[in-house]
Each structure stands twice: as structure tokens, then as C-alpha cells.
Amino acid sequence: MKHWRIEQMDWDSFDPSKVDPDIIPLVKAASVVERNAHDYTTYLQHVFVGDADFSQAAANWSVEEIQHGDALGRWAMLADSSWDYWSAFERYRESFKIDVDVDASVRGSRTGELIARCMVETGTSSFYTALADGTDEPLLKAICKQIAADEYRHFKLFYDHMNRYLQREKLSTWERTKIALGRVTESEDDELASAYYTTNIPSDQPYDHKHCIAAYMAKAMGYYQPKHIDRVTAMIFKTIGFTPHSRWQRLAANMMYRLIRWRQRGFARKMNAA
């Protein structure tokens, strides 16, 4: 069951004077990624065939993710009346596809798959929290807060199922760490780059992965504050079996924040040089 509905949002509260132009491309890209949850659900249900509880949980997760995309897409069309969410989503679907015809996880185990899902929800929860804190536009702030809360619940959902499978599959802390960090580094793969391209760049221009990921990251990373990264690292530590809210976690958060700032400046330089 959805915890909120699009029609419950106060759409009349939209204030164009408070829209940050840099946030619009991010919202457009996020909208199509969120709406593409159906393919990921098909993939997950193939990986977890025979697990009725998880399959139902994945189906419920998909409904909420699709709503996220529709809410963000509707907001983006208010912010940019020339943009069409539905045609952009169809273009994204043609551009980026995942292999759903599988019978096992690409992570090597069901536990590994759930660790990867925890990492995705960690990233999205922090991302939408950062956007909510970084915008003064009241409607977008409200939407992002709702989505961030959903994504944190989704993290807990996948985390609980991960622990259930961990009792059987016995992945070591090192194995869990490798999977978690591997999924984090995939944030610069084609999913986000294709989303940025298909929602922000005309189709008559060729797709340039490096340009698109730099354009996305230069904007997105700028919204993160230390408190967001502290939450990210705490959730990562919890997933891989380390103690969150510890001295080592705070040290990791500080290092990660510095790395993000350094990477953000590098991506910005690439865009300025283009």
C-alpha cells in the first residue's frame, strides 16, 4: 500500500520563482529512472523465484517507485513547460535496458543482490534528502521528503530480507563489503548517464557517456552536505556488518564527503572545459 498519493500533494503550492535551474535536469533524470522500476521488479522476481514473500514485497516496492517517477515528472513539467515526461520516459526505455531474463543474481547470491539493493536505497534516500534540503521550491521540497522517507523504508525492507538470507548463505564481512562498494561505484554507469541524456539532451545529438555523467554529477554532488554523507556511511556500515555511528564510521563519512567534493569539482571542470 502506498504511504502517500500524488493527488494528495499540494500542486497549487508550486512557486516558479523559487526553482533552481540546476535542479531541473536532475529531477528530469530521476523521474525516468524511478519509473523504470518495473523492469527491476521482473529481474528481482526471477532472481527470487520461489520466495513468495519477497516477490510480493518487490511488487509493492515497484508501485511506490513508479509513483516517485510520476510525481517528479509532473513537477518537472511544471518547471519546464516545454518538456514532456512521458515521451522522455519512452526514449529512456529505448536507450537503457537491463537483462531481466535471468535465473540468478549478477551479484553471485541472493544475499549479494539484497546488499546491492540496500546500497541503491541508501543512495536514493540520501539524494532526495539532499534535494529537499537544497531547494526552496515548496512543492519539490515536499515531494522529495516523501520520496526520501519511502526510500529509507525500502532500505529497511531489503535489509531485513538480506539478514534472512545471510543466515543461510553466510557471506563474510569482506564479501559483503566488496559487493556494497562495487554497487556504489556503479553510480557512474549508463543508467544515470542515459537518463540525463534522454531527458535533457536533444535526440539529434549523439550520446556521450562521459559528458552526460559529468553533467549529472557536477550538479547532483553539489547538493550533498556532511550530514547527508554521515547518514549514507552509517547505512553502508550497517549493511556490511560494521557498527554505525562509531568513530570509524564518522572518519569514513569525513573521507567520503571530501572525496565527493573533489569529484564534484573535477566534473565541473570538465563541463566548463567542454
PDB file of all heavy atoms in Angstrom, residues 78-101:
ATOM      1  N   LEU A  78       5.993  21.164 -14.722  1.00  0.00           N
ATOM      2  CA  LEU A  78       5.630  22.495 -14.227  1.00  0.00           C
ATOM      3  C   LEU A  78       6.826  23.439 -14.315  1.00  0.00           C
ATOM      4  O   LEU A  78       6.679  24.615 -14.672  1.00  0.00           O
ATOM      5  CB  LEU A  78       5.157  22.410 -12.770  1.00  0.00           C
ATOM      6  CG  LEU A  78       3.818  21.739 -12.494  1.00  0.00           C
ATOM      7  CD1 LEU A  78       3.580  21.653 -10.987  1.00  0.00           C
ATOM      8  CD2 LEU A  78       2.669  22.499 -13.170  1.00  0.00           C
ATOM      9  N   ALA A  79       7.999  22.913 -13.997  1.00  0.00           N
ATOM     10  CA  ALA A  79       9.204  23.744 -14.002  1.00  0.00           C
ATOM     11  C   ALA A  79       9.666  24.066 -15.412  1.00  0.00           C
ATOM     12  O   ALA A  79      10.293  25.106 -15.652  1.00  0.00           O
ATOM     13  CB  ALA A  79      10.326  23.026 -13.240  1.00  0.00           C
ATOM     14  N   ASP A  80       9.389  23.171 -16.365  1.00  0.00           N
ATOM     15  CA  ASP A  80       9.773  23.369 -17.764  1.00  0.00           C
ATOM     16  C   ASP A  80       8.601  22.918 -18.622  1.00  0.00           C
ATOM     17  O   ASP A  80       8.445  21.736 -18.928  1.00  0.00           O
ATOM     18  CB  ASP A  80      11.024  22.556 -18.096  1.00  0.00           C
ATOM     19  CG  ASP A  80      11.453  22.702 -19.549  1.00  0.00           C
ATOM     20  OD1 ASP A  80      10.781  23.420 -20.308  1.00  0.00           O
ATOM     21  OD2 ASP A  80      12.471  22.081 -19.931  1.00  0.00           O
ATOM     22  N   SER A  81       7.765  23.881 -19.020  1.00  0.00           N
ATOM     23  CA  SER A  81       6.531  23.555 -19.746  1.00  0.00           C
ATOM     24  C   SER A  81       6.791  22.973 -21.127  1.00  0.00           C
ATOM     25  O   SER A  81       5.885  22.398 -21.743  1.00  0.00           O
ATOM     26  CB  SER A  81       5.659  24.816 -19.877  1.00  0.00           C
ATOM     27  OG  SER A  81       6.365  25.840 -20.576  1.00  0.00           O
ATOM     28  N   SER A  82       8.018  23.091 -21.633  1.00  0.00           N
ATOM     29  CA  SER A  82       8.340  22.548 -22.957  1.00  0.00           C
ATOM     30  C   SER A  82       8.711  21.065 -22.903  1.00  0.00           C
ATOM     31  O   SER A  82       8.864  20.429 -23.941  1.00  0.00           O
ATOM     32  CB  SER A  82       9.511  23.328 -23.569  1.00  0.00           C
ATOM     33  OG  SER A  82      10.716  23.089 -22.850  1.00  0.00           O
ATOM     34  N   TRP A  83       8.845  20.534 -21.694  1.00  0.00           N
ATOM     35  CA  TRP A  83       9.318  19.157 -21.536  1.00  0.00           C
ATOM     36  C   TRP A  83       8.154  18.203 -21.338  1.00  0.00           C
ATOM     37  O   TRP A  83       7.176  18.531 -20.662  1.00  0.00           O
ATOM     38  CB  TRP A  83      10.248  19.077 -20.324  1.00  0.00           C
ATOM     39  CG  TRP A  83      10.943  17.759 -20.166  1.00  0.00           C
ATOM     40  CD1 TRP A  83      11.917  17.248 -20.942  1.00  0.00           C
ATOM     41  CD2 TRP A  83      10.702  16.787 -19.130  1.00  0.00           C
ATOM     42  NE1 TRP A  83      12.311  16.010 -20.467  1.00  0.00           N
ATOM     43  CE2 TRP A  83      11.593  15.713 -19.357  1.00  0.00           C
ATOM     44  CE3 TRP A  83       9.844  16.728 -18.028  1.00  0.00           C
ATOM     45  CZ2 TRP A  83      11.634  14.582 -18.538  1.00  0.00           C
ATOM     46  CZ3 TRP A  83       9.879  15.616 -17.203  1.00  0.00           C
ATOM     47  CH2 TRP A  83      10.766  14.559 -17.465  1.00  0.00           C
ATOM     48  N   ASP A  84       8.266  17.016 -21.940  1.00  0.00           N
ATOM     49  CA  ASP A  84       7.212  16.015 -21.807  1.00  0.00           C
ATOM     50  C   ASP A  84       7.769  14.756 -21.143  1.00  0.00           C
ATOM     51  O   ASP A  84       8.618  14.058 -21.707  1.00  0.00           O
ATOM     52  CB  ASP A  84       6.622  15.659 -23.172  1.00  0.00           C
ATOM     53  CG  ASP A  84       5.487  14.661 -23.049  1.00  0.00           C
ATOM     54  OD1 ASP A  84       4.424  15.029 -22.517  1.00  0.00           O
ATOM     55  OD2 ASP A  84       5.670  13.495 -23.468  1.00  0.00           O
ATOM     56  N   TYR A  85       7.295  14.498 -19.952  1.00  0.00           N
ATOM     57  CA  TYR A  85       7.770  13.367 -19.152  1.00  0.00           C
ATOM     58  C   TYR A  85       7.557  12.035 -19.853  1.00  0.00           C
ATOM     59  O   TYR A  85       8.446  11.170 -19.883  1.00  0.00           O
ATOM     60  CB  TYR A  85       7.043  13.410 -17.812  1.00  0.00           C
ATOM     61  CG  TYR A  85       7.120  12.170 -16.967  1.00  0.00           C
ATOM     62  CD1 TYR A  85       8.336  11.639 -16.558  1.00  0.00           C
ATOM     63  CD2 TYR A  85       5.943  11.534 -16.537  1.00  0.00           C
ATOM     64  CE1 TYR A  85       8.391  10.500 -15.741  1.00  0.00           C
ATOM     65  CE2 TYR A  85       5.988  10.409 -15.719  1.00  0.00           C
ATOM     66  CZ  TYR A  85       7.210   9.889 -15.339  1.00  0.00           C
ATOM     67  OH  TYR A  85       7.263   8.775 -14.540  1.00  0.00           O
ATOM     68  N   TRP A  86       6.375  11.851 -20.437  1.00  0.00           N
ATOM     69  CA  TRP A  86       6.032  10.554 -20.996  1.00  0.00           C
ATOM     70  C   TRP A  86       6.878  10.215 -22.214  1.00  0.00           C
ATOM     71  O   TRP A  86       7.357   9.081 -22.355  1.00  0.00           O
ATOM     72  CB  TRP A  86       4.542  10.516 -21.323  1.00  0.00           C
ATOM     73  CG  TRP A  86       3.716  10.755 -20.101  1.00  0.00           C
ATOM     74  CD1 TRP A  86       3.055  11.900 -19.758  1.00  0.00           C
ATOM     75  CD2 TRP A  86       3.535   9.845 -19.018  1.00  0.00           C
ATOM     76  NE1 TRP A  86       2.453  11.758 -18.539  1.00  0.00           N
ATOM     77  CE2 TRP A  86       2.723  10.512 -18.059  1.00  0.00           C
ATOM     78  CE3 TRP A  86       3.961   8.542 -18.771  1.00  0.00           C
ATOM     79  CZ2 TRP A  86       2.334   9.902 -16.867  1.00  0.00           C
ATOM     80  CZ3 TRP A  86       3.574   7.935 -17.584  1.00  0.00           C
ATOM     81  CH2 TRP A  86       2.777   8.608 -16.656  1.00  0.00           C
ATOM     82  N   SER A  87       7.083  11.170 -23.090  1.00  0.00           N
ATOM     83  CA  SER A  87       7.931  10.900 -24.256  1.00  0.00           C
ATOM     84  C   SER A  87       9.384  10.717 -23.831  1.00  0.00           C
ATOM     85  O   SER A  87      10.112   9.898 -24.412  1.00  0.00           O
ATOM     86  CB  SER A  87       7.804  12.028 -25.287  1.00  0.00           C
ATOM     87  OG  SER A  87       8.222  13.265 -24.752  1.00  0.00           O
ATOM     88  N   ALA A  88       9.814  11.446 -22.801  1.00  0.00           N
ATOM     89  CA  ALA A  88      11.182  11.282 -22.294  1.00  0.00           C
ATOM     90  C   ALA A  88      11.368   9.879 -21.706  1.00  0.00           C
ATOM     91  O   ALA A  88      12.423   9.249 -21.895  1.00  0.00           O
ATOM     92  CB  ALA A  88      11.485  12.342 -21.246  1.00  0.00           C
ATOM     93  N   PHE A  89      10.336   9.387 -21.022  1.00  0.00           N
ATOM     94  CA  PHE A  89      10.442   8.041 -20.453  1.00  0.00           C
ATOM     95  C   PHE A  89      10.519   6.986 -21.547  1.00  0.00           C
ATOM     96  O   PHE A  89      11.310   6.038 -21.452  1.00  0.00           O
ATOM     97  CB  PHE A  89       9.250   7.754 -19.534  1.00  0.00           C
ATOM     98  CG  PHE A  89       9.265   6.357 -18.978  1.00  0.00           C
ATOM     99  CD1 PHE A  89      10.269   5.954 -18.103  1.00  0.00           C
ATOM    100  CD2 PHE A  89       8.290   5.436 -19.355  1.00  0.00           C
ATOM    101  CE1 PHE A  89      10.299   4.649 -17.601  1.00  0.00           C
ATOM    102  CE2 PHE A  89       8.311   4.142 -18.855  1.00  0.00           C
ATOM    103  CZ  PHE A  89       9.317   3.743 -17.983  1.00  0.00           C
ATOM    104  N   GLU A  90       9.726   7.130 -22.579  1.00  0.00           N
ATOM    105  CA  GLU A  90       9.787   6.169 -23.684  1.00  0.00           C
ATOM    106  C   GLU A  90      11.157   6.202 -24.355  1.00  0.00           C
ATOM    107  O   GLU A  90      11.703   5.155 -24.731  1.00  0.00           O
ATOM    108  CB  GLU A  90       8.684   6.464 -24.692  1.00  0.00           C
ATOM    109  CG  GLU A  90       7.291   6.126 -24.199  1.00  0.00           C
ATOM    110  CD  GLU A  90       7.172   4.678 -23.723  1.00  0.00           C
ATOM    111  OE1 GLU A  90       7.671   3.774 -24.439  1.00  0.00           O
ATOM    112  OE2 GLU A  90       6.614   4.457 -22.632  1.00  0.00           O
ATOM    113  N   ARG A  91      11.713   7.378 -24.491  1.00  0.00           N
ATOM    114  CA  ARG A  91      13.052   7.498 -25.069  1.00  0.00           C
ATOM    115  C   ARG A  91      14.080   6.818 -24.167  1.00  0.00           C
ATOM    116  O   ARG A  91      14.994   6.132 -24.644  1.00  0.00           O
ATOM    117  CB  ARG A  91      13.385   8.981 -25.252  1.00  0.00           C
ATOM    118  CG  ARG A  91      14.695   9.249 -25.972  1.00  0.00           C
ATOM    119  CD  ARG A  91      14.933  10.736 -26.105  1.00  0.00           C
ATOM    120  NE  ARG A  91      16.330  10.997 -26.438  1.00  0.00           N
ATOM    121  CZ  ARG A  91      16.938  12.152 -26.253  1.00  0.00           C
ATOM    122  NH1 ARG A  91      16.280  13.182 -25.734  1.00  0.00           N
ATOM    123  NH2 ARG A  91      18.214  12.299 -26.577  1.00  0.00           N
ATOM    124  N   TYR A  92      13.935   6.987 -22.853  1.00  0.00           N
ATOM    125  CA  TYR A  92      14.849   6.339 -21.916  1.00  0.00           C
ATOM    126  C   TYR A  92      14.727   4.821 -21.999  1.00  0.00           C
ATOM    127  O   TYR A  92      15.729   4.100 -21.980  1.00  0.00           O
ATOM    128  CB  TYR A  92      14.541   6.818 -20.494  1.00  0.00           C
ATOM    129  CG  TYR A  92      15.370   6.138 -19.430  1.00  0.00           C
ATOM    130  CD1 TYR A  92      16.743   6.327 -19.359  1.00  0.00           C
ATOM    131  CD2 TYR A  92      14.768   5.298 -18.488  1.00  0.00           C
ATOM    132  CE1 TYR A  92      17.505   5.703 -18.371  1.00  0.00           C
ATOM    133  CE2 TYR A  92      15.516   4.678 -17.510  1.00  0.00           C
ATOM    134  CZ  TYR A  92      16.885   4.877 -17.463  1.00  0.00           C
ATOM    135  OH  TYR A  92      17.635   4.249 -16.492  1.00  0.00           O
ATOM    136  N   ARG A  93      13.499   4.332 -22.103  1.00  0.00           N
ATOM    137  CA  ARG A  93      13.275   2.887 -22.184  1.00  0.00           C
ATOM    138  C   ARG A  93      13.945   2.284 -23.416  1.00  0.00           C
ATOM    139  O   ARG A  93      14.409   1.136 -23.386  1.00  0.00           O
ATOM    140  CB  ARG A  93      11.774   2.592 -22.221  1.00  0.00           C
ATOM    141  CG  ARG A  93      11.054   2.879 -20.928  1.00  0.00           C
ATOM    142  CD  ARG A  93      10.989   1.672 -20.051  1.00  0.00           C
ATOM    143  NE  ARG A  93      10.170   0.618 -20.639  1.00  0.00           N
ATOM    144  CZ  ARG A  93      10.105  -0.624 -20.198  1.00  0.00           C
ATOM    145  NH1 ARG A  93      10.831  -0.993 -19.173  1.00  0.00           N
ATOM    146  NH2 ARG A  93       9.325  -1.521 -20.772  1.00  0.00           N
ATOM    147  N   GLU A  94      13.984   3.043 -24.477  1.00  0.00           N
ATOM    148  CA  GLU A  94      14.650   2.576 -25.692  1.00  0.00           C
ATOM    149  C   GLU A  94      16.162   2.641 -25.555  1.00  0.00           C
ATOM    150  O   GLU A  94      16.886   1.840 -26.158  1.00  0.00           O
ATOM    151  CB  GLU A  94      14.199   3.423 -26.893  1.00  0.00           C
ATOM    152  CG  GLU A  94      12.768   3.176 -27.328  1.00  0.00           C
ATOM    153  CD  GLU A  94      12.544   1.741 -27.778  1.00  0.00           C
ATOM    154  OE1 GLU A  94      13.392   1.222 -28.521  1.00  0.00           O
ATOM    155  OE2 GLU A  94      11.534   1.136 -27.364  1.00  0.00           O
ATOM    156  N   SER A  95      16.641   3.588 -24.764  1.00  0.00           N
ATOM    157  CA  SER A  95      18.083   3.826 -24.644  1.00  0.00           C
ATOM    158  C   SER A  95      18.752   2.896 -23.644  1.00  0.00           C
ATOM    159  O   SER A  95      19.886   2.446 -23.858  1.00  0.00           O
ATOM    160  CB  SER A  95      18.329   5.282 -24.235  1.00  0.00           C
ATOM    161  OG  SER A  95      19.682   5.516 -23.943  1.00  0.00           O
ATOM    162  N   PHE A  96      18.064   2.608 -22.530  1.00  0.00           N
ATOM    163  CA  PHE A  96      18.683   1.839 -21.447  1.00  0.00           C
ATOM    164  C   PHE A  96      17.829   0.636 -21.102  1.00  0.00           C
ATOM    165  O   PHE A  96      16.653   0.765 -20.781  1.00  0.00           O
ATOM    166  CB  PHE A  96      18.857   2.715 -20.202  1.00  0.00           C
ATOM    167  CG  PHE A  96      19.465   1.990 -19.035  1.00  0.00           C
ATOM    168  CD1 PHE A  96      20.833   1.759 -18.976  1.00  0.00           C
ATOM    169  CD2 PHE A  96      18.666   1.518 -18.002  1.00  0.00           C
ATOM    170  CE1 PHE A  96      21.396   1.082 -17.906  1.00  0.00           C
ATOM    171  CE2 PHE A  96      19.220   0.843 -16.922  1.00  0.00           C
ATOM    172  CZ  PHE A  96      20.593   0.623 -16.883  1.00  0.00           C
ATOM    173  N   LYS A  97      18.428  -0.534 -21.171  1.00  0.00           N
ATOM    174  CA  LYS A  97      17.702  -1.766 -20.861  1.00  0.00           C
ATOM    175  C   LYS A  97      18.541  -2.632 -19.931  1.00  0.00           C
ATOM    176  O   LYS A  97      19.772  -2.647 -20.023  1.00  0.00           O
ATOM    177  CB  LYS A  97      17.395  -2.551 -22.140  1.00  0.00           C
ATOM    178  CG  LYS A  97      16.524  -1.790 -23.144  1.00  0.00           C
ATOM    179  CD  LYS A  97      16.258  -2.620 -24.377  1.00  0.00           C
ATOM    180  CE  LYS A  97      15.473  -1.839 -25.424  1.00  0.00           C
ATOM    181  NZ  LYS A  97      14.132  -1.475 -24.975  1.00  0.00           N
ATOM    182  N   ILE A  98      17.863  -3.326 -19.045  1.00  0.00           N
ATOM    183  CA  ILE A  98      18.546  -4.288 -18.193  1.00  0.00           C
ATOM    184  C   ILE A  98      18.110  -5.691 -18.596  1.00  0.00           C
ATOM    185  O   ILE A  98      17.014  -5.883 -19.140  1.00  0.00           O
ATOM    186  CB  ILE A  98      18.264  -4.052 -16.694  1.00  0.00           C
ATOM    187  CG1 ILE A  98      16.784  -4.297 -16.372  1.00  0.00           C
ATOM    188  CG2 ILE A  98      18.673  -2.654 -16.280  1.00  0.00           C
ATOM    189  CD1 ILE A  98      16.501  -4.327 -14.894  1.00  0.00           C
ATOM    190  N   ASP A  99      18.967  -6.649 -18.346  1.00  0.00           N
ATOM    191  CA  ASP A  99      18.668  -8.040 -18.681  1.00  0.00           C
ATOM    192  C   ASP A  99      17.796  -8.630 -17.577  1.00  0.00           C
ATOM    193  O   ASP A  99      18.260  -8.862 -16.463  1.00  0.00           O
ATOM    194  CB  ASP A  99      19.971  -8.834 -18.827  1.00  0.00           C
ATOM    195  CG  ASP A  99      19.724 -10.274 -19.244  1.00  0.00           C
ATOM    196  OD1 ASP A  99      18.564 -10.601 -19.587  1.00  0.00           O
ATOM    197  OD2 ASP A  99      20.688 -11.072 -19.229  1.00  0.00           O
ATOM    198  N   VAL A 100      16.534  -8.853 -17.891  1.00  0.00           N
ATOM    199  CA  VAL A 100      15.612  -9.398 -16.896  1.00  0.00           C
ATOM    200  C   VAL A 100      15.459 -10.913 -17.035  1.00  0.00           C
ATOM    201  O   VAL A 100      14.882 -11.563 -16.159  1.00  0.00           O
ATOM    202  CB  VAL A 100      14.223  -8.730 -16.992  1.00  0.00           C
ATOM    203  CG1 VAL A 100      14.350  -7.224 -16.780  1.00  0.00           C
ATOM    204  CG2 VAL A 100      13.568  -9.014 -18.338  1.00  0.00           C
ATOM    205  N   ASP A 101      15.970 -11.476 -18.120  1.00  0.00           N
ATOM    206  CA  ASP A 101      15.822 -12.912 -18.368  1.00  0.00           C
ATOM    207  C   ASP A 101      16.952 -13.668 -17.679  1.00  0.00           C
ATOM    208  O   ASP A 101      17.897 -14.149 -18.311  1.00  0.00           O
ATOM    209  CB  ASP A 101      15.813 -13.185 -19.872  1.00  0.00           C
ATOM    210  CG  ASP A 101      15.440 -14.632 -20.189  1.00  0.00           C
ATOM    211  OD1 ASP A 101      14.880 -15.300 -19.301  1.00  0.00           O
ATOM    212  OD2 ASP A 101      15.724 -15.093 -21.315  1.00  0.00           O
TER     213      ASP A 101
END
